[in-house]
Short mmCIF file of all heavy atoms in Angstrom, two decimals:
data_model
loop_
_atom_site.label_atom_id
_atom_site.label_comp_id
_atom_site.label_asym_id
_atom_site.label_seq_id
_atom_site.Cartn_x
_atom_site.Cartn_y
_atom_site.Cartn_z
N TRP A 249 173.99 59.16 65.26
CA TRP A 249 172.69 58.65 64.85
C TRP A 249 171.75 59.80 64.48
O TRP A 249 170.98 59.71 63.52
CB TRP A 249 172.10 57.80 65.95
CG TRP A 249 170.72 57.26 65.68
CD1 TRP A 249 169.62 57.41 66.45
CD2 TRP A 249 170.31 56.46 64.55
NE1 TRP A 249 168.54 56.78 65.88
CE2 TRP A 249 168.93 56.18 64.71
CE3 TRP A 249 170.97 55.97 63.43
CZ2 TRP A 249 168.20 55.43 63.78
CZ3 TRP A 249 170.24 55.23 62.50
CH2 TRP A 249 168.89 54.98 62.68
N THR A 250 171.84 60.88 65.23
CA THR A 250 171.00 62.05 64.92
C THR A 250 171.37 62.64 63.57
O THR A 250 170.50 63.04 62.79
CB THR A 250 171.16 63.12 66.02
OG1 THR A 250 170.80 62.56 67.28
CG2 THR A 250 170.25 64.32 65.74
N ILE A 251 172.67 62.69 63.27
CA ILE A 251 173.12 63.21 61.97
C ILE A 251 172.58 62.35 60.83
O ILE A 251 172.11 62.87 59.81
CB ILE A 251 174.66 63.27 61.92
CG1 ILE A 251 175.17 64.37 62.86
CG2 ILE A 251 175.15 63.53 60.49
CD1 ILE A 251 176.68 64.40 62.99
N ILE A 252 172.62 61.03 61.01
CA ILE A 252 172.09 60.13 59.98
C ILE A 252 170.60 60.39 59.76
O ILE A 252 170.13 60.46 58.61
CB ILE A 252 172.31 58.66 60.39
CG1 ILE A 252 173.81 58.34 60.37
CG2 ILE A 252 171.56 57.72 59.45
CD1 ILE A 252 174.15 56.96 60.90
N LYS A 253 169.86 60.56 60.84
CA LYS A 253 168.41 60.81 60.71
C LYS A 253 168.15 62.17 60.07
O LYS A 253 167.19 62.32 59.29
CB LYS A 253 167.74 60.71 62.09
CG LYS A 253 167.68 59.30 62.62
CD LYS A 253 166.80 59.20 63.85
CE LYS A 253 167.45 59.84 65.06
NZ LYS A 253 166.63 59.64 66.30
N VAL A 254 168.97 63.16 60.38
CA VAL A 254 168.81 64.48 59.75
C VAL A 254 169.00 64.36 58.24
O VAL A 254 168.19 64.87 57.46
CB VAL A 254 169.83 65.49 60.34
CG1 VAL A 254 169.90 66.75 59.46
CG2 VAL A 254 169.42 65.89 61.75
N LEU A 255 170.06 63.69 57.83
CA LEU A 255 170.34 63.55 56.40
C LEU A 255 169.23 62.78 55.69
O LEU A 255 168.75 63.20 54.63
CB LEU A 255 171.68 62.84 56.20
CG LEU A 255 172.93 63.59 56.66
CD1 LEU A 255 174.16 62.72 56.50
CD2 LEU A 255 173.10 64.89 55.88
N LEU A 256 168.79 61.68 56.28
CA LEU A 256 167.77 60.84 55.65
C LEU A 256 166.42 61.55 55.58
O LEU A 256 165.80 61.63 54.51
CB LEU A 256 167.64 59.52 56.41
CG LEU A 256 166.59 58.54 55.88
CD1 LEU A 256 166.94 58.12 54.47
CD2 LEU A 256 166.49 57.32 56.79
N CYS A 257 165.97 62.08 56.70
CA CYS A 257 164.63 62.69 56.76
C CYS A 257 164.56 64.01 56.00
O CYS A 257 163.58 64.28 55.30
CB CYS A 257 164.21 62.90 58.21
SG CYS A 257 164.05 61.36 59.14
N CYS A 258 165.60 64.82 56.13
CA CYS A 258 165.58 66.13 55.45
C CYS A 258 165.69 65.96 53.94
O CYS A 258 165.03 66.68 53.18
CB CYS A 258 166.72 67.00 55.97
SG CYS A 258 166.55 67.50 57.70
N CYS A 259 166.50 65.01 53.50
CA CYS A 259 166.62 64.77 52.05
C CYS A 259 165.31 64.24 51.48
O CYS A 259 164.88 64.63 50.39
CB CYS A 259 167.75 63.78 51.77
SG CYS A 259 169.41 64.48 51.99
N GLN A 480 160.18 64.86 61.16
CA GLN A 480 161.35 64.12 61.62
C GLN A 480 162.63 64.92 61.40
O GLN A 480 163.53 64.90 62.24
CB GLN A 480 161.43 62.77 60.88
CG GLN A 480 160.36 61.79 61.30
CD GLN A 480 160.49 61.36 62.75
OE1 GLN A 480 161.60 61.31 63.30
NE2 GLN A 480 159.38 61.07 63.40
N CYS A 481 162.71 65.62 60.27
CA CYS A 481 163.87 66.45 59.98
C CYS A 481 164.03 67.53 61.04
O CYS A 481 165.10 67.68 61.64
CB CYS A 481 163.72 67.08 58.59
SG CYS A 481 164.96 68.33 58.20
N ASN A 484 164.97 66.22 64.64
CA ASN A 484 166.37 65.82 64.80
C ASN A 484 167.34 66.99 64.69
O ASN A 484 168.40 66.99 65.32
CB ASN A 484 166.71 64.74 63.76
CG ASN A 484 166.10 63.40 64.12
OD1 ASN A 484 166.53 62.73 65.06
ND2 ASN A 484 165.07 62.99 63.38
N VAL A 485 166.97 68.01 63.91
CA VAL A 485 167.81 69.22 63.85
C VAL A 485 167.81 69.92 65.21
O VAL A 485 168.85 70.40 65.68
CB VAL A 485 167.32 70.17 62.75
CG1 VAL A 485 168.00 71.53 62.88
CG2 VAL A 485 167.62 69.59 61.37
N LEU A 488 170.03 67.96 67.46
CA LEU A 488 171.43 68.19 67.08
C LEU A 488 171.91 69.55 67.58
O LEU A 488 173.06 69.69 68.01
CB LEU A 488 171.57 68.11 65.56
CG LEU A 488 172.99 68.05 65.00
CD1 LEU A 488 173.71 66.79 65.45
CD2 LEU A 488 172.96 68.11 63.47
N ILE A 500 176.27 70.28 58.80
CA ILE A 500 175.47 69.08 58.55
C ILE A 500 174.34 69.38 57.58
O ILE A 500 174.05 68.61 56.65
CB ILE A 500 174.90 68.52 59.87
CG1 ILE A 500 176.02 68.16 60.83
CG2 ILE A 500 174.01 67.30 59.59
CD1 ILE A 500 177.04 67.18 60.29
N LEU A 501 173.68 70.52 57.77
CA LEU A 501 172.58 70.89 56.87
C LEU A 501 173.10 71.19 55.47
O LEU A 501 172.40 70.95 54.48
CB LEU A 501 171.83 72.09 57.44
CG LEU A 501 171.10 71.84 58.76
CD1 LEU A 501 170.38 73.10 59.23
CD2 LEU A 501 170.11 70.68 58.63
N ARG A 504 173.48 67.95 53.82
CA ARG A 504 172.15 67.49 53.43
C ARG A 504 171.72 68.13 52.11
O ARG A 504 171.15 67.47 51.24
CB ARG A 504 171.15 67.83 54.53
CG ARG A 504 169.73 67.32 54.31
CD ARG A 504 168.84 68.25 53.54
NE ARG A 504 168.62 69.51 54.24
CZ ARG A 504 167.93 70.51 53.74
NH1 ARG A 504 167.43 70.42 52.50
NH2 ARG A 504 167.78 71.63 54.40
#
Side-chain angles (χ1 to χ4, degrees):
W249 177 235
T250 302
I251 290 174
I252 292 173
K253 289 190 288 185
V254 166
L255 294 175
L256 179 62
C257 296
C258 293
C259 287
Q480 289 296 329
C481 171
N484 286 289
V485 168
L488 192 64
I500 301 303
L501 295 180
R504 185 271 297 177

